[in-house]
């Protein structure tokens, strides 16, 4: 095994010479290398986060993993409640179930490294990737698939709410099967493309994240596009709800003001439709407000994580601009013989602050808490209590031994003789009742007889109020229009009162 001095070559501590390491194995593109002595390339030891952040950064990132463990337990409780309890306790819906499953995949990405304890570095300067570390491959795949699935199901939920409120379309079987296919096939295809084109490796912490190569094209771009579509649909739906509410208020004012003109039928129909639309929107919002808030919260999380991670990813790509910007920090490391604590202030200009990184990791772990908060109900606890109570009652049911001593059938214990002859009880014969006389019988299904053919036609009077009509302009009273007796009537033109 080569000594530390042999690996450093012409590079000064803490750097290692790149020529001392093979060009294969691990994520070679993830090395933080730059020419320091002419054309001689020197590399910063792996992992680079040990040199850009204070001591204990890696252990502090495990806090996010344990947050995901707690969120995983809560999400499993939610899924079990959906599967086991009756719907009257859970109000389950396939959009809620699938979104919760997607969150579980994302949580597993942070839980697996706690059990696997992966090695982040392949050698002194090269981080591990999905080809050199199985834990890295599994955690990265779960993270990418979970991120895709969460965004797609959030989009489906926003679309379903938009169709119900704005277009009065109730999603049926076609939407159900289409959402299932779209919600799971798109993440699978996206995961396959991302792993084949970009791959995952250890970037910061013990969870593998997507590499920089083509990440905007095959992951971040499509992901943010679906998030933007979901947000646009959500805001359009909210705007429509506000519009319907304001229109209902204006219509109410128009119908309650005093006017010298008689109210018309067209105005009452307009007011009724506005009120009906408001009541319909109100009912849908009362049922779906939890899902709508969950959509906004998760979209906010995804946008926050995307912006921070892309910024960190771009800031760590070695190029001429980064070399120029990092020159004071690199010079400080060489001058201090690798004492990073003296150079942390200069490193802070190159990377995101530790607080922002920790916030991103913890926010991702809060998705399970949001699911339980918005999709869970207090009635689930009542349902579990009722379920356990019914099982315990059935298990502790008591049957006396005397019931089996007198008869093989315990139900005959209270009879005088459990061994007596069995009663031959037969059901009574059906009695054919005679058809009613003089009654009106319904026609046979194939009968062509019209029982209403002899009915007298009804002629609606002109002044009938069975349906609305505009005010009449007649000033004279005609007894024939109201079926009054004409022979005993008066002549309104000559009657003086």
């Amino acid at each position: 095994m080569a000594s530390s001095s042999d690996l450093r070559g012409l590079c000064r501590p803490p750097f290692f010479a790149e020529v001392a390491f093979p060009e294969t194995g691990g994520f070679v593109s993830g090395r933080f290398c730059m020419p320091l002595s002419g054309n001689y390339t020197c590399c910063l030891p792996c992992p680079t986060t040990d040199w850009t952040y204070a001591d204990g950064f890696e252990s502090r990132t495990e806090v996010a993993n344990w947050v995901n463990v707690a969120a995983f337990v809560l999400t499993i409780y939610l899924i079990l409640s959906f599967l086991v309890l009756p719907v009257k306790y859970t109000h389950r819906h396939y959009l809620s179930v699938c979104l919760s499953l997607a969150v579980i995949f994302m949580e597993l990405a942070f839980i697996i490294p706690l059990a696997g304890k992966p090695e982040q570095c392949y050698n002194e300067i090269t981080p591990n990737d999905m080809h050199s570390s199985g834990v890295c491959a599994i955690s990265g795949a779960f993270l990418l698939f979970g991120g895709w699935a969460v965004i797609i199901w959030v989009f489906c939920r926003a679309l379903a709410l938009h169709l119900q409120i704005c277009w009065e379309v109730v999603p049926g079987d076609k939407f159900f099967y289409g959402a299932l296919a779209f919600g799971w096939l798109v993440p699978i295809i996206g995961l396959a493309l991302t792993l084949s084109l970009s791959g995952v490796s250890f970037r910061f912490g013990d969870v593998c994240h997507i590499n920089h190569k083509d990440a905007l094209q095959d992951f971040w771009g499509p992901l943010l596009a679906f998030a933007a579509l979901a947000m646009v649909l959500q805001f359009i739906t909210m705007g429509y709800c506000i519009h319907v509410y304001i229109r209902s208020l204006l219509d109410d004012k128009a119908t309650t003001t005093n006017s010298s003109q008689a109210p018309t039928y067209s105005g009452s129909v307009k007011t009724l439709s506005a009120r009906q639309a408001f009541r319909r929107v109100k009912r849908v919002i009362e049922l779906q407000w939890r899902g709508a808030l969950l959509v906004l919260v998760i979209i906010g999380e995804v946008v926050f994580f995307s912006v921070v991670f892309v910024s960190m990813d771009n800031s760590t790509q070695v190029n001429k601009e980064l070399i120029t910007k990092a020159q004071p920090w690199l010079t400080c490391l060489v001058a201090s013989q690798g004492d990073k604590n003296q150079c942390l202030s200069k490193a802070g200009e190159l990377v995101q602050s530790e607080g922002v990184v920790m916030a991103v990791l913890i926010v991702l772990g809060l998705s399970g808490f949001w699911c339980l908060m918005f999709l869970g109900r207090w009635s689930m606890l009542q349902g579990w209590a009722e379920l356990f109570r019914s099982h315990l009652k059935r298990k502790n049911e008591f049957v006396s031994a005397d019931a089996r001593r007198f008869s093989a059938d315990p139900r005959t214990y209270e009879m005088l003789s459990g061994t007596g002859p069995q009663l031959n009880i037969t059901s009574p014969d059906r009695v054919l009742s005679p058809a009613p006389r003089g009654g009106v019988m319904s026609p046979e299904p194939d009968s062509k007889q019209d029982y209403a053919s002899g009915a007298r036609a009804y002629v609606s009077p002109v002044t009938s109020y069975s349906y609305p009509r505009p005010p009449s302009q007649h000033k004279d009273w005609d007894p024939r229009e109201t079926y009054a007796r004409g022979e005993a009537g008066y002549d309104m033109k000559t009657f003086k009162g």
Side-chain angles (χ1 to χ4, degrees):
M1 183 176 180
S3 62
S4 177
S5 58
D6 296 336
L7 295 177
R8 297 189 189 280
L10 300 179
C11 298
R12 300 180 62 181
F15 298 95
F16 292 98
E18 187 179 22
V19 295
F21 298 92
E23 296 182 358
T24 58
F27 185 53
V28 178
S29 300
R31 296 173 177 175
F32 194 89
C33 301
M34 57 187 64
L36 293 182
S37 303
N39 293 328
Y40 200 77
T41 303
C42 298
C43 302
L44 196 67
C46 176
T48 56
T49 53
D50 284 349
W51 300 93
T52 54
Y53 295 101
D55 294 334
F57 173 77
E58 296 294 334
S59 60
R60 286 190 292 273
T61 57
E62 291 186 0
V63 175
N65 297 24
W66 289 107
V67 170
N68 279 272
V69 171
F72 177 78
V73 173
L74 297 179
T75 313
I76 289 296
Y77 162 76
L78 187 63
I79 292 294
L80 290 178
S81 300
F82 286 148
L83 296 178
V84 176
L85 299 180
V87 69
K88 66 178 182 179
Y89 295 113
T90 61
H91 299 273
R92 61 176 175 262
H93 194 272
Y94 67 92
L95 293 176
S96 302
V97 176
C98 292
L99 180 58
S100 302
L101 289 175
V103 171
I104 286 179
F105 281 108
M106 195 163 56
E107 291 167 348
L108 287 174
F110 293 87
I111 297 175
I112 290 175
L114 288 176
K117 299 295 182 181
E119 186 66 34
Q120 296 188 26
C121 299
Y122 182 79
N123 52 37
E124 283 79 357
I125 64 172
T126 310
N128 272 315
D129 63 356
M130 61 182 185
H131 300 290
S132 58
S133 173
V135 176
C136 175
I138 296 175
S139 65
F142 274 126
L143 183 61
L144 297 180
F145 180 81
W148 263 114
V150 166
I151 287 298
I152 295 300
W153 282 109
V154 162
F155 170 76
C156 292
R157 194 175 189 93
L159 179 61
L161 184 63
H162 178 76
L163 292 176
Q164 291 182 64
I165 292 181
C166 298
W167 301 98
E168 301 183 22
V169 175
V170 179
D173 292 339
K174 293 182 179 179
F175 187 89
F176 169 71
Y177 292 111
L180 287 180
F182 186 75
W184 295 117
L185 288 180
V186 170
I188 292 175
I189 296 174
L191 175 64
L193 292 176
T194 303
L195 292 180
S196 60
L197 298 178
S198 298
V200 293
S201 63
F202 288 104
R203 311 297 299 277
F204 57 91
D206 53 2
V207 178
C208 278
H209 299 272
I210 187 172
N211 296 326
H212 176 76
K213 179 184 177 183
D214 298 329
L216 285 176
Q217 290 77 14
D218 56 39
F219 184 72
W220 296 114
L223 197 73
L224 291 176
F226 278 108
L229 286 176
M231 184 173 293
V232 169
L233 287 176
Q234 198 71 16
F235 282 134
I236 291 177
T237 305
M238 294 171 59
Y240 178 78
C241 295
I242 297 174
H243 166 72
V244 170
Y245 176 71
I246 295 177
R247 191 180 65 177
S248 65
L249 292 180
L250 295 178
D251 287 341
D252 286 341
K253 290 181 180 179
T255 56
T256 55
T257 54
N258 296 328
S259 176
S260 59
Q261 298 180 356
T264 61
Y265 178 67
S266 60
S268 62
V269 170
K270 181 179 179 181
T271 304
L272 184 61
S273 63
R275 292 177 179 176
Q276 286 179 343
F278 175 69
R279 286 196 296 267
R280 178 181 58 81
V281 171
K282 183 180 178 181
R283 285 195 301 268
V284 175
I285 291 177
E286 288 176 351
L287 296 175
Q288 301 289 342
W289 68 269
R290 295 179 179 86
L293 288 180
L294 182 61
V295 167
L296 294 178
V297 170
I298 291 184
I299 289 177
E301 287 185 357
V302 171
V303 172
F304 177 56
F305 176 78
S306 303
V307 171
V308 173
F309 187 85
V310 171
S311 176
M312 292 178 59
D313 191 27
N314 293 331
S315 64
T316 56
Q317 297 305 308
V318 179
N319 48 40
K320 293 182 179 180
E321 181 181 357
L322 179 62
I323 294 175
T324 303
K325 189 176 181 180
Q327 197 65 37
W329 174 58
L330 298 175
T331 304
C332 178
L333 288 177
V334 173
S336 62
Q337 296 293 318
D339 187 2
K340 69 172 184 179
N341 294 321
Q342 299 182 18
C343 310
L344 288 178
S345 59
K346 297 179 175 60
E349 302 175 359
L350 305 175
V351 295
Q352 293 285 347
S353 64
E354 182 178 340
V356 173
V357 176
M358 292 298 300
V360 168
L361 297 178
I362 292 177
V363 162
L364 285 179
L366 294 178
S367 300
F369 292 95
W370 302 133
C371 285
L372 182 63
M373 180 181 298
F374 292 111
L375 301 181
R377 297 174 181 266
W378 288 108
S379 58
M380 291 181 178
L381 297 176
Q382 180 183 357
W384 282 109
E386 185 67 25
L387 180 65
F388 290 139
R389 190 182 301 114
S390 62
H391 279 281
L392 291 176
K393 183 178 180 181
R394 188 181 308 168
K395 183 178 180 181
N396 297 329
E397 186 176 358
F398 174 76
V399 178
S400 175
D402 294 335
R404 294 183 176 88
R405 186 176 61 183
F406 291 99
S407 173
D409 188 1
R411 294 173 297 178
T412 63
Y413 173 65
E414 295 183 357
M415 301 177 66
L416 295 178
S417 177
T419 59
Q422 299 293 331
L423 297 178
N424 186 13
I425 301 176
T426 59
S427 59
D429 297 333
R430 294 184 179 179
V431 179
L432 298 178
S433 58
R437 299 179 180 179
V440 179
M441 300 179 61
S442 301
E444 296 295 332
D446 297 334
S447 176
K448 304 297 183 182
Q449 183 180 0
D450 186 5
Y451 285 87
S453 58
R456 184 177 179 181
Y458 174 74
V459 180
S460 177
V462 177
T463 58
S464 173
Y465 294 96
S466 59
Y467 61 92
R469 62 175 65 249
S472 176
Q473 302 297 329
H474 296 283
K475 297 182 180 180
D476 298 334
W477 176 66
D478 188 358
R480 292 172 298 178
E481 295 180 353
T482 57
Y483 300 110
R485 296 181 179 180
E487 63 275 8
Y490 297 96
D491 188 357
M492 298 300 296
K493 296 182 180 180
T494 59
F495 181 67
K496 303 298 183 181

